[in-house]
């Protein structure tokens, strides 16, 4: 593996650490129990990504190659929880949690882009598979957050009667 692969893994670990810190902070500062559960789940996933990447980094430095991607695991499904009426009803569409969702969307989009670029540079093989796996996982987070954001937009439109006059 090249020095570029090592730097790519280091960058990925940093992205996951930042994601964990952000989601953990939102989870500890929100007043909504449902929102806390959602962001805590996302923080745990970011931590698992970091742990997986750390194992791959160690393998890369120690052995000169990455471990098999099959050791990475699967994303947990929290989409049903996230889209529940209770969660949406507990979020003020113009408040802290909604702003956190918007910031998280930008963070997840940036992470997905980073991973797609690293996968493209790596090509086929374990390194490419690793970054594609991470990109797919981050894309799932982004989709989930986008669904929440759309639901919040509908909520604010409904609550404020933002309907066209016919």
């Amino acid at each position: 593996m090249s020095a570029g692969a090592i730097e790519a893994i280091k960058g990925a670990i940093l992205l996951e650490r930042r994601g964990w810190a952000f989601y953990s902070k939102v989870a500890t500062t929100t007043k909504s129990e449902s929102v806390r559960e959602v962001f805590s789940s996302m923080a745990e996933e970011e931590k698992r990504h970091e742990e997986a990447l750390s194992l791959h980094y160690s393998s890369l430095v120690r052995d000169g190659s990455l471990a098999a991607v099959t050791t990475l695991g699967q994303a947990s499904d929290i989409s049903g929880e996230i889209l529940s009426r209770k969660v949406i009803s507990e979020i003020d569409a113009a408040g802290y949690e909604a702003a956190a969702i918007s910031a998280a969307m930008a963070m997840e989009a940036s992470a997905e882009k980073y991973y797609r670029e690293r996968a493209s540079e790596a090509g086929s093989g374990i390194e490419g598979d690793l970054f594609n796996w991470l990109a797919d996982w981050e894309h799932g987070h982004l989709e989930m957050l986008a669904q929440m954001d759309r639901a919040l937009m509908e909520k604010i439109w409904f609550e404020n009667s933002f309907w066209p006059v016919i």
Side-chain angles (χ1 to χ4, degrees), residues 50-69:
E50 181 187 344
E51 290 168 357
L53 284 161
S54 293
L55 290 173
H56 287 280
Y57 177 80
S58 295
S59 176
L60 184 59
V61 170
R62 182 184 60 245
D63 305 328
S65 63
L66 294 170
V69 175

Side-chain angles (χ1 to χ4, degrees), residues 1-13 53 57 60-61 64 66 114 117-119 121-122 127-128 130-131:
M1 285 291 151
S2 67
I6 290 173
E7 291 305 309
I9 298 283
K10 283 179 175 179
I13 289 170
L53 284 161
Y57 177 80
L60 184 59
V61 170
L66 294 170
Y114 177 83
E117 289 170 356
R118 298 296 80 76
E121 290 170 6
E127 186 179 352
L130 170 66
F131 285 117

Side-chain angles (χ1 to χ4, degrees), residues 83-95:
L83 296 176
S84 74
R85 288 181 188 216
K86 185 172 185 203
V87 172
I88 297 302
S89 71
E90 290 180 8
I91 297 177
D92 176 3

Side-chain angles (χ1 to χ4, degrees), residues 107-122:
M107 187 175 59
E108 295 293 341
S110 177
E112 180 184 5
K113 181 179 182 228
Y114 177 83
Y115 293 140
R116 295 271 181 234
E117 289 170 356
R118 298 296 80 76
S120 177
E121 290 170 6

Side-chain angles (χ1 to χ4, degrees), residues 20-33 35-41 43 96-97 100:
W20 173 84
F22 176 75
Y23 291 131
S24 295
K25 183 67 173 177
V26 173
T28 60
T29 55
T30 184
K31 294 176 181 154
S32 164
E33 183 59 36
V35 173
R36 182 175 297 106
E37 289 174 23
V38 167
F39 280 93
S40 291
S41 294
Y96 170 73
E97 289 84 358

